[in-house]
């Protein structure tokens, strides 16, 4: 079965075309600058047209969808009801879901009759217990507005956790694993017996670790304090927390960890502070998650920083397990979200064909 995986973002479409179940990549690529000024690609429909012009014989499609809220615990075969629910979830993921949906709708028009599957970034975290995902806010906000921790990067955490089990030659449901997805966007997940029981990102991807440009955890009272002091409106404070904070905001230099490591080596104190804060926050989360799982078999690093920057991994792990009786295995596993989406789409379609 030839399965095309589409990751449709606000201004780009990335694709990978797999021969399943062999898991062989037939082709891959990306279309950039969609709907940007002076771009010839005016919308996602035109973008998908270009992708489909590069490949032949699509048997099935898998789409990455960022937010499935509490609606989707598993991948879903796309039909009218699923499209309506993805639309509903757009109110809490306005930057992502509309772009994901635009990709789905374009494929429906251009490849009518071809089965499509949606795989959600939030689905893996739907196994969290209520005491981990509900915030200490008035309960009706959860009930009426759906305000709760959802978590993100679920496909990446799920993929590297299962790959860790495979490498350790153990069953996933016998392992306690912490997965660290450290890219420009960062999150960490406690995976107990194959299930996400807690994760650092929250209602939005802003919560948790210090990221390239996002603050991660801060005192929530700071939001109104800064707004008053600096006379910022909602849009401005949102911009500060999401785009001008994190490694970039602390260092005043860059959100790119490679640059910061170089600057720190040449004696830059703010670069050092940014790296110290980044690694310290991760250490705290690892300590907490190992504690709530009552042990840890493996710590997994993935994504740009996690996969490539040993110096950062070493700083996170330095002294971290000195008091552990059994030291966990430390693994570096390249993430492969598209492959997991292809596997899940293939399995769901096969099951559906057999039924
Ligand atoms: P995104 O969340 O945007 O997908 P990435 O996973 O590409 O982010 O990670 C970006 C971060 O990873 C940057 O801080 C960058 O410094 C670091 N990084 C990416 N590739 C490398 C590499 N080959 N060597 C060292 N660091 C890398």
């Amino acid at each position: 079965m030839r399965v095309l995986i589409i990751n449709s973002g606000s201004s780009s479409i990335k694709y990978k075309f797999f021969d399943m179940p062999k898991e062989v990549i037939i082709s891959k690529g990306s279309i950039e600058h969609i709907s940007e000024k002076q771009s010839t690609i005016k919308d996602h429909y035109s973008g998908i047209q270009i992708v489909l012009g590069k490949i032949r014989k699509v048997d099935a499609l898998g789409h990455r969808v960022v937010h499935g809220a509490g609606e989707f615990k598993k991948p879903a075969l796309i039909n009218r009801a699923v499209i309506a629910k993805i639309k509903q979830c757009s109110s809490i993921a306005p930057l992502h879901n509309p772009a994901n949906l635009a990709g789905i709708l374009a494929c429906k028009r251009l490849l009518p009759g071809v089965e499509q599957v949606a795989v959600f970034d939030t689905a893996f975290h739907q196994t969290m217990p209520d005491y981990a995902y509900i915030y200490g806010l008035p309960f009706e906000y959860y009930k009426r507005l759906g305000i709760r921790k959802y978590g993100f990067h679920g496909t990446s955490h799920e993929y590297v956790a299962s790959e860790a089990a495979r490498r350790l030659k153990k069953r996933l449901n016998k392992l306690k694993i912490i997965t660290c997805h450290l890219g420009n966007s960062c999150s960490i997940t406690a995976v107990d017996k194959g299930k996400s029981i807690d994760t650092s990102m929250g209602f939005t991807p802003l919560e948790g670790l210090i990221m390239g440009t996002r603050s991660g955890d801060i005192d929530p009272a700071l939001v109104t304090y800064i707004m008053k002091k600096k006379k910022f409106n909602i849009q401005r404070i949102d911009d500060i927390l999401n785009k001008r904070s994190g490694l970039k905001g602390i260092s005043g230099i860059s959100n790119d960890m490679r640059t910061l490591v170089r600057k720190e080596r040449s004696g830059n104190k703010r670069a050092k502070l940014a790296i110290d804060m980044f690694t310290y926050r991760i250490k705290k989360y690892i300590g907490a998650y190992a504690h709530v799982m009552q042990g840890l078999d493996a710590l997994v690093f993935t994504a740009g920083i996690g996969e490539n920057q040993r110096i950062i991994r070493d700083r996170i792990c330095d002294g971290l397990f000195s008091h552990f009786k059994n030291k966990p295995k430390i693994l570096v596993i390249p993430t492969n979200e598209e492959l997991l989406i292809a596997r899940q789409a293939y399995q769901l379609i096969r099951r559906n064909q057999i039924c």
Side-chain angles (χ1 to χ4, degrees):
M1 188 189 289
R2 290 156 70 96
V3 185
L4 175 63
I5 305 306
I6 298 284
N7 182 353
S8 175
S10 56
S11 66
S12 72
I13 296 170
K14 295 191 188 111
Y15 70 94
K16 246 187 202 176
F17 195 26
F18 287 93
D19 186 0
M20 298 298 286
K22 288 188 216 148
E23 302 190 350
V24 171
I25 298 171
I26 303 164
S27 65
K28 61 178 181 174
S30 66
I31 309 294
E32 312 276 342
H33 309 296
I34 297 170
S35 351
E36 285 176 4
K37 266 190 209 158
Q38 288 161 9
S39 171
T40 51
I41 310 163
K42 63 178 189 326
D43 54 19
H44 286 78
Y45 183 82
S46 319
I48 294 286
Q49 262 181 327
I50 297 171
V51 173
L52 297 179
K54 291 174 188 280
I55 59 182
R56 282 192 306 127
K57 263 187 95 248
V58 178
D59 298 315
L61 285 141
H63 292 270
R64 176 185 180 217
V65 180
V66 168
H67 219 308
E71 299 284 350
F72 295 101
K73 295 183 175 25
K74 287 190 234 154
L77 265 179
I78 295 174
N79 54 28
R80 269 204 204 152
V82 168
I83 288 175
K85 281 185 188 170
I86 295 173
K87 244 186 225 162
Q88 266 174 30
C89 299
S90 292
S91 65
I92 48 176
L95 299 180
H96 298 103
N97 274 31
N100 303 153
L101 201 53
I104 291 171
L105 295 175
C107 289
K108 259 183 93 67
R109 277 175 66 197
L110 290 161
L111 292 173
V114 175
E115 295 271 37
Q116 302 198 55
V117 172
V119 176
F120 300 87
D121 274 15
T122 46
F124 182 56
H125 301 301
Q126 282 293 308
T127 46
M128 284 189 286
D130 52 5
Y131 54 78
Y133 70 67
I134 295 179
Y135 289 110
L137 291 167
F139 192 68
E140 63 173 280
Y141 293 180
Y142 162 59
K143 282 309 245 184
R144 299 232 170 105
L145 305 174
I147 291 177
R148 49 159 285 184
K149 182 187 274 284
Y150 288 111
F152 297 89
H153 293 144
T155 318
S156 175
H157 290 292
E158 184 175 359
Y159 175 80
V160 297
S162 67
E163 188 60 21
R166 197 184 65 78
R167 289 195 190 179
L168 295 172
K169 299 191 173 53
K170 297 232 166 92
R171 287 171 60 170
L172 187 57
N173 63 9
K174 300 271 182 239
L175 290 171
K176 298 169 196 290
I177 302 175
I178 292 177
T179 49
C180 305
H181 179 110
L182 308 179
N184 203 20
S185 172
C186 304
S187 69
I188 178 164
T189 297
V191 185
D192 195 4
K193 304 189 188 82
K195 295 200 162 121
S196 167
I197 59 144
D198 206 347
T199 191
S200 58
M201 283 179 165
F203 179 70
T204 73
L206 183 57
E207 189 182 342
L209 302 181
I210 289 174
M211 310 180 209
T213 59
R214 297 190 195 124
S215 65
D217 300 334
I218 56 164
D219 179 346
L222 283 173
V223 175
T224 45
Y225 183 80
I226 296 167
M227 286 174 85
K228 270 189 225 148
K229 274 270 168 205
K230 306 272 286 177
K231 300 196 173 35
F232 285 167
N233 60 16
I234 292 173
Q235 209 178 346
R236 189 80 199 277
I237 191 77
D238 199 59
D239 188 62
I240 299 289
L241 294 171
N242 280 291
K243 300 195 181 138
R244 290 161 200 272
S245 298
L247 295 174
K248 187 176 178 189
I250 301 159
S251 68
I253 303 168
S254 171
N255 60 317
D256 193 304
M257 189 58 96
R258 284 169 290 197
T259 310
L260 296 184
V261 168
R262 242 189 357 259
K263 288 281 179 189
E264 183 191 37
R265 276 203 196 110
S266 61
N268 187 296
K269 292 219 170 76
R270 294 253 300 272
K272 176 180 184 319
L273 177 64
I275 299 173
D276 284 345
M277 288 171 65
F278 180 85
T279 50
Y280 175 71
R281 177 84 50 95
I282 296 167
K283 265 181 196 275
K284 281 211 293 193
Y285 267 94
I286 293 172
Y289 287 170
H291 202 75
V292 293
M293 287 196 288
Q294 298 176 26
L296 184 64
D297 299 302
L299 175 66
V300 183
F301 289 102
T302 193
I305 299 171
E307 289 168 30
N308 298 298
Q309 291 187 291
R310 187 178 177 164
I311 185 169
I312 301 298
R313 292 196 303 267
D314 287 350
R315 257 156 89 165
I316 293 165
C317 295
D318 183 33
L320 188 60
F321 302 120
S322 51
H323 62 297
F324 272 52
K325 243 194 256 154
N326 302 314
K327 301 256 180 297
K329 292 268 182 307
I330 296 170
L331 302 171
V332 178
I333 301 178
T335 194
N336 195 340
E337 289 152 292
E338 296 86 358
L339 178 56
L340 191 77
I341 296 173
R343 279 179 189 162
Q344 294 187 340
Y346 171 75
Q347 281 159 8
L348 185 56
I349 289 167
R350 286 284 294 161
R351 262 205 312 277
N352 206 46
Q353 284 170 345
I354 291 163
C355 290

